Amino acid sequence: MNHIGSLRHAIVESRFSDLSMLHAQFHAEMMDFQGYSLPYQYKAGVNAEHHYCRTKACFFDVSHLTKQLLLIGNDVAERLELLIPSAIQELKAGKARYTVLTNESGGIRDDLVLCHAGDHYYMLLNTAFHTHNVEYLRAQLHGIEVIELSDQALFDIQGPSAEGVLATLCPEARELKFMSTQQVTLNGAVCRLSRLGFTGEDGFELSVPASHAYDIANAILAHDDVQPAGLGARESLRLEAGFNLYGNEIDARTSPIEAQIPWIIQKRRIQEANFFGAKRILEELKQGPSRKLVGLMPEGQKPVPSGCDIFSQDEKKIGKITSSLFGPTIGAPIANGYILSKYADIGADVLLNIDDNLKSARISKRPFVTRRYKRS
């Protein structure tokens, strides 16, 4: 680990030392991720954790994967709409919206969840390691307070049993609707509970004071229907569920249209066209992008390497794999990749270049599994 990574690790340990103790308590196998020591898997292993999340519920400590911000001031929603292509002014108190920060060339600076918390907005930036985005928001939103909640831990409780697990500690969980948020009291601590997640299952994100994080985590994990899960299962769950990961499927050069998330741009924003990158994004929305993100099902039982090239049947290079692994729910290897749009029909056959050998794959719909949210 380099000096900066060591410094980050030290900061994390001092801020969330009790959570490090929690991971050790549950026999976590730790890994270095962007200079942070994070749990890759626990005693049960990635495959078991993945299936437990699909059938019961898993607890994920995502405190170091996401930046939590408060945005306070007048006209926050209106000011944000320069930076975000979604309709923020229509977002009602208690509701949440997934969206992205775009740059002037129409690429994605970051993806995020924005919650209307009544007298302020609560933002979850999904690339915690890109600290420049916090300063970017402060510079762009001059006069708006942008407060980083560095003393708040963040937990995901995901799976069909998530509601029942949390309701034993927080009855409000049963009534909270999908993409909604509210303040609750849990184990004597004021927390923010939001019904959303990154696995495709019903679930919640819970922002808790660091001073209460260990006790709250243990109280959740005491339930028979929940077990801890690490980054390995989180990655396989998100890929099956068709979610994009920053640095893989989305980045500063990739537009929301290429990334197959045009639904984040509501009609009013299309008509106004007054957000960063609007020219490119709206042109792609109308004409179609030159390339697009697709799912792929490689032949055989072995995952293909991320980054390998995709070829057409007549062996023309048409794209590249962005993420790839074995899908435990699917029982087969799956992948995401960008390919030229004219080759992107679902069901079409393509070739993958693996160590100078061409392997067959078929373009598949995304997500690979049905998302099971509780919408009512």
Side-chain angles (χ1 to χ4, degrees), residues 97-354:
R97 177 159 286 166
Y98 173 81
T99 186
V100 299
L101 291 171
T102 51
N103 57 35
E104 293 183 0
S105 63
I108 298 172
R109 289 186 63 100
D110 201 354
D111 63 331
L112 60 97
V113 174
L114 186 70
C115 301
H116 191 330
D119 59 352
H120 66 278
Y121 287 82
Y122 169 71
M123 180 183 286
L124 293 167
L125 281 174
N126 284 330
T127 49
F129 311 114
H130 293 185
T131 56
H132 61 275
N133 279 335
V134 178
E135 294 309 316
Y136 169 77
L137 285 168
R138 288 180 175 138
Q140 293 290 336
L141 300 174
H142 183 69
I144 302 294
E145 283 189 272
V146 179
I147 302 170
E148 185 176 349
L149 299 179
S150 56
D151 59 349
Q152 291 283 114
L154 189 67
F155 302 145
D156 273 5
I157 303 90
Q158 298 282 304
S161 299
E163 178 185 285
V165 169
L166 269 181
T168 61
L169 302 171
C170 175
E172 295 94 329
R174 292 200 185 278
E175 304 303 321
L176 197 65
K177 295 180 180 180
F178 179 61
M179 295 305 288
S180 295
T181 183
Q182 70 178 85
Q183 269 195 348
V184 298
T185 300
L186 203 158
N187 268 28
V190 176
C191 307
R192 176 156 297 280
L193 183 66
S194 306
R195 197 165 199 151
L196 44 90
F198 201 51
T199 65
E201 299 296 332
D202 182 32
F204 301 83
E205 287 197 342
L206 183 65
S207 174
V208 307
S211 57
H212 290 73
Y214 178 78
D215 289 339
I216 289 174
N218 269 307
I220 294 169
L221 286 163
H223 197 289
D224 289 340
D225 285 346
V226 66
Q227 69 176 29
L231 291 181
R234 183 173 169 83
E235 173 64 4
S236 59
L237 289 159
R238 79 92 190 165
L239 185 52
E240 284 189 343
F243 290 109
N244 298 333
L245 181 65
Y246 199 92
N248 291 40
E249 285 75 35
I250 52 178
D251 57 31
R253 296 166 296 179
T254 304
S255 78
I257 312 307
E258 291 177 318
Q260 300 297 287
I261 50 172
W263 47 266
I264 68 170
I265 311 171
Q266 287 75 34
K267 185 176 180 180
R268 174 175 65 81
R269 304 312 319 282
I270 294 172
Q271 293 171 338
E272 293 174 345
N274 59 351
F275 53 88
F276 285 160
K279 182 179 179 181
R280 172 192 172 186
I281 291 169
L282 298 183
E283 184 176 311
E284 289 183 352
L285 191 60
K286 183 178 180 180
Q287 304 293 339
S290 61
R291 63 168 193 157
K292 62 174 62 174
L293 184 63
V294 299
L296 295 118
M297 299 281 291
E299 67 175 7
Q301 290 293 299
K302 187 177 180 180
V304 300
S306 292
C308 72
D309 291 328
I310 306 170
F311 288 80
S312 65
Q313 286 292 300
D314 56 358
E315 300 188 12
K316 293 179 181 177
K317 184 178 174 181
I318 58 172
K320 190 177 288 291
I321 296 293
T322 57
S323 296
S324 175
L325 49 69
F326 187 87
T329 309
I330 306 299
I334 56 176
N336 285 339
Y338 278 97
I339 67 171
L340 298 177
S341 294
K342 67 178 182 178
Y343 295 97
D345 293 337
I346 292 175
D349 291 323
V350 294
L351 301 170
L352 308 179
N353 184 7
I354 303 168

Side-chain angles (χ1 to χ4, degrees), residues 3 21 24 34-35 47-48 71 78 85 88 91 94 101 108 151 196 232 296 303 329 331 363:
H3 172 70
M21 185 169 63
Q34 300 284 342
N47 193 62
L71 279 62
E78 185 177 351
I88 304 303
L91 189 64
L101 291 171
I108 298 172
D151 59 349
L196 44 90
L296 295 118
T329 309
I363 296 175

Side-chain angles (χ1 to χ4, degrees), residues 50-56 158-161 178 195 199-203 241 329 367 369-375:
H50 179 108
H51 286 298
Y52 209 84
C53 187
R54 292 273 184 248
T55 56
K56 291 190 176 181
Q158 298 282 304
S161 299
F178 179 61
R195 197 165 199 151
T199 65
E201 299 296 332
D202 182 32
T329 309
V369 297
T370 300
R371 296 175 184 170
R372 301 190 294 181
Y373 304 131
K374 185 175 179 179
R375 297 186 181 274

